[in-house]
Amino acid sequence: MSVTSDKPKKSPKVQGSPRDKTPKSPRTKSKGAKSKEATAERFAALEEVGQNSLDLLLVVDKSGSVKYANPAALATFGISLEESIGTDAFAYLHPDDVERVSTQFLELLQTPRGSIRDTVRIVAANEEVRDIELVSTNALASVAVAGIILNGRDVTEHNNYVKQLHVLEERFRLAFEDNMAPMVFTDLDDRVFAANDAFCNMIGFSREEVLGKDSTPFTHPADIGITEASHRRILRGEEGQSRYVKRYLRKDGRLIYVEVSRSPARDEDGQILYNVISERDITDERTLAAELSHQALHDTLTGLSNRALFTDRLEQARAKIARDGGLYAVLLLDLDDFKGVNDSFGHLAGDQLLQAVARRLEHVTRATDTLCRFGGDEFLYLTEGLNSPKDAELTATRLLDALVEPFSVAGTRVEQQASIGVTVSDGTKFEMNDLVRNADVALYEAKREGKGRFVLFTPSMHQQVVDRFELVRELRQALQSGDLRMHYQPIVDLDTLEIVGFEALMRWQHPVRGWVPPNVFIPAAEQSDLILDLGYFALREAISAASSWKQSGEETKDLSIGVNLSARQFHDPGLVSIIESVLAQSELSPEQLVIEITESVTLHNVSETMNVMEQLGRFGITFALDDFGTGYSSLSYLALLQPKIIKVDRSFVSPKMKNSLNVALLEAIVSLGLKLNMTVLAEGIETPAQFERLRNFGCELGQGFLWSPAIPKEEVPAMLRRGLTASTIS
Ligand code: C2E
Ligand code: MG
Ligand code: MG
C-alpha cells in the first residue's frame, strides 16, 4: 500500500476514527451521525457518475461517516440512501481489515489529494464477505466534495476465479512434477520448456541441462529422426497424437528404450500451443522379452540356435533358393562315441566337452550359415548359396577339421571326432523334415563306414535304411523262430593238425532270402538293442554245444570255444554276471571260453573295456583280438588289451594281390605276436601253400576253408572222431 501525495506528510491526527475491531452493523448509524439530523448532501458531479456505475461509490467525512452512497453501494449493503447517511463506513468492513484500513485512512487524511489503493473485504447485506478493490481519494479540499471519495470495485468473482485457477494450477503442477511417469512439455520447435523429475532421472540429465533444448543431445543418434518425424506429423495435422519407441542415451552412457506418447495442447481455435509428452522406460521389459525370445530360440547349454530357430532359418533358406536358385545343404553332425566321455568323466565333463565342441564349430561357422544344437551330441549346420555339392563337402571337411585338435576336459586330453551326414538340395526336391532325415541316413552311413568322416546322401541310401529296418524286424523274428543258429569252424594246430577248438559263427537261414551272411545282419543288429539278445544267444548256444561235445568223448576235454562279442555288449552292465551264470550251468571250464573282440570294442570307452576284461580275465576266460591288422591302431591296442590270442585277419593270409610285401607283412605280424608271447592264429587259410607258409613263419594255429567251413554242432563229434584227414587237406 502506498499513499501518493503532492503535499508533505503531517503527523496523523485522529478524530473519532473507528478503532473498534468488533464489527458494527452497517445499518446502525455512528454516534456522531446520530447526534445530528443527517441529510444526504448533494454531490451533483459524483451522482452523475455514481448513478449508473457498477462500482461502489461513497463519500465519507473525516470521521468516516457516510455522506453519499451510490445505488451499487446501497444495493450491496442492503440499505436506502437515507439510511446510509451518517453511518460509519468502517462498519461495513470485515472486522479483520478494520485496523489496517483505519491506519491508511488516517494517513490519507494527512495527504491532501492523495489516494490509496487496497483490496479490502466488506460484509454485504446477506452477510456475504466480498472482495473490493478500493481506491480512497482525499478530496477534502475539493469544494464540490469536501470529503473522502471511496471508489470500490467488487472483485469477488474475479478473485474466486483466480483462486480456483491457482488451485487447479497447483494440482496440475503436482500431477506433472510428482508424476512417476516421465513427462516433458515442448514448444513448437520441440524444445523442452518443462520437464518433471521422473524424466530428468530417467535420462540422467538435470532440468537445467534439458530446458530450452530439443531431445537431440540425449537421443540415440539413430533415433533422432523418429522424434523429428513424429513432431512434424503432428504439426502438419497428419496425426492427432503419436506413440513410438525410441532410444535415449543417458548421461552415464547407458542406452534405454522408451515408449513415447506425444499429444498437442491446443487453444480454443485448435491452434497447437505446445506438446505434452509422456514417456515410459521399457528397457527392462525389452531385455526380458529379448532374453525370453533368446531362450526360446537357443540351446541353454551351448548358447547355439535350437531346433526352432533352425527350422525357421531352413524355411527362409528354402524360400530364398526357390526364388533365387542355387543350392543349400543340411549337415547333421554326431559326435563319435560321445557316451564314453559321459561314462568315464561324468555328465559335467560331458557338458563341458559339448560346450567346447560348440565353440570350435561356431568358430568355423560362416556368418550366413546357421549352426544349431539338435539335441544330445548332435549338431545341425545349414549352409546356403552353394554352387555344387562339392561346396557342402568343403563345409563338412571344415567342421571335421575343427575337432581334430584334442580337447581338454576335466584336466584330461580327450579326442573327440565326429561323423557327418550331408544332404544337398535345390529347394524343390525335399520337404524340410526330409532334409534332416536324409542327413540322418547319410550320417548312419558315415558311422557304418568307420566314423570320423562325412557321407553325402544319395536317394539309394534311403532304400538301404528301409531295408535295414526290415532286416532287423525279421532278425528279431528269426531269433524267436529258431531260424538263427550257431555253426562251428574248427581251429587247427598247424604243427599237429589236430583240432584244438572251434569258433562259433552265427548263421541265419531266411525263409525267402536263403542264407544271410553275418556281415550283413550283425551290423544292422548293432544299431539296436537286438545285438545284446543275439550276443547272449550266441554265448549260450556255443557254451552248451561245447559242453555237449565234452560229454561225448575223452579227446574233446580241452577244446576251446570262441565266441564273437560285439562292442555294444561291453557296455551292458549284465555281461559279466551272465557269462558267469552261463558257464556255471555248463560242463565247460572258463579257460576253454575264448572271447573274440575287435579293437572297435575299446573305441567306446577304454577304461570300461579294461575293467570288464579284467573281471572276466580273473575268472580264467581267454581273450582273442579278432581281425588283427585291419584297424587303425592295432599295435597300440595290442599293448593295452594284452590278449592271449591274436587272430591275424584273412586279408593278410590270403591277400587279393599276392606280392612280396604282403608276405613280409604276414611274417612280421606272426613274429610280433610270438615276441609278445601271444598265440598267433591265422584266419581264412584256404590253400596248402598258405598253410605251409604260416607254419614256416611259426604261426601256431589256423582256421579256414582248407579244413572246413563252420558246420552245425551235430556234425562236430563226427569231425572230431574222424580228425582232419589228408583228403580234407587236399
Ligand atoms: P570273424 O569273427 O572274423 O569270423 C571269421 C569269418 O571268416 C567267418 O565269416 C568265417 O566264415 C570266415 N572264414 C573262415 N575261414 C575262411 C576262409 O578260408 N575263407 C573265407 N573267405 N572266409 C573264411 P562269417 O561267419 O561270415 O562271419 C563274419 C563275421 O561276422 C565274423 O568275423 C564276426 O565278426 C561276425 N560274427 C559272426 N558270428 C557272430 C556272432 O555270433 N556274434 C558277433 N558279435 N559277431 C559274429
Ligand atoms: Mg571271430
Ligand atoms: Mg576275424
Side-chain angles (χ1 to χ4, degrees), residues 80-99:
S80 66
L81 181 61
E82 287 69 35
E83 285 170 322
S84 74
I85 300 304
T87 55
D88 180 4
F90 290 90
Y92 300 110
L93 282 172
H94 187 279
D96 290 351
D97 289 355
V98 171
E99 189 175 329

Side-chain angles (χ1 to χ4, degrees), residues 175-322:
F176 175 72
E177 272 168 17
D178 295 348
N179 202 319
M180 306 281 281
M183 287 178 77
V184 280
F185 286 10
T186 65
D187 62 16
L188 297 185
D189 294 328
D190 212 20
R191 292 181 193 285
V192 176
F193 65 83
N196 69 359
D197 286 349
F199 180 82
C200 297
N201 292 339
M202 181 178 78
I203 58 163
F205 283 87
S206 72
R207 189 169 280 110
E208 291 66 40
E209 288 170 313
V210 168
L211 289 179
K213 306 200 179 82
D214 64 17
S215 62
T216 307
F218 38 89
T219 294
H220 185 282
D223 292 353
I224 291 170
I226 301 178
T227 316
E228 289 178 352
S230 150
H231 177 60
R232 273 198 307 274
R233 277 199 303 276
I234 288 187
L235 282 191
R236 285 201 298 260
E238 292 166 9
E239 237 172 32
Q241 55 177 193
S242 72
R243 193 178 270 258
Y244 52 93
V245 171
K246 66 178 277 192
R247 288 165 296 175
Y248 279 129
L249 263 178
R250 280 175 50 92
K251 197 172 183 179
D252 60 14
R254 201 151 57 77
L255 192 71
I256 54 170
Y257 283 83
V258 178
E259 187 184 72
V260 183
S261 303
R262 173 186 279 265
S263 19
R266 300 172 188 276
D267 66 11
E268 298 135 24
D269 302 328
Q271 291 300 312
I272 297 177
L273 298 173
Y274 53 88
N275 298 299
V276 179
I277 300 168
S278 155
E279 316 203 335
R280 196 163 70 87
D281 184 346
I282 54 165
T283 315
D284 287 348
E285 284 169 38
R286 278 189 80 110
T287 315
L288 187 72
E291 259 170 31
L292 284 178
S293 79
H294 188 271
Q295 269 172 27
L297 296 174
H298 289 81
D299 168 54
T300 39
L301 178 69
T302 60
L304 297 181
S305 312
N306 64 8
R307 279 174 197 226
L309 185 56
F310 189 84
T311 310
D312 190 51
R313 294 272 163 84
L314 202 58
E315 187 47 64
Q316 285 175 21
R318 204 161 82 110
K320 193 162 167 260
I321 297 280

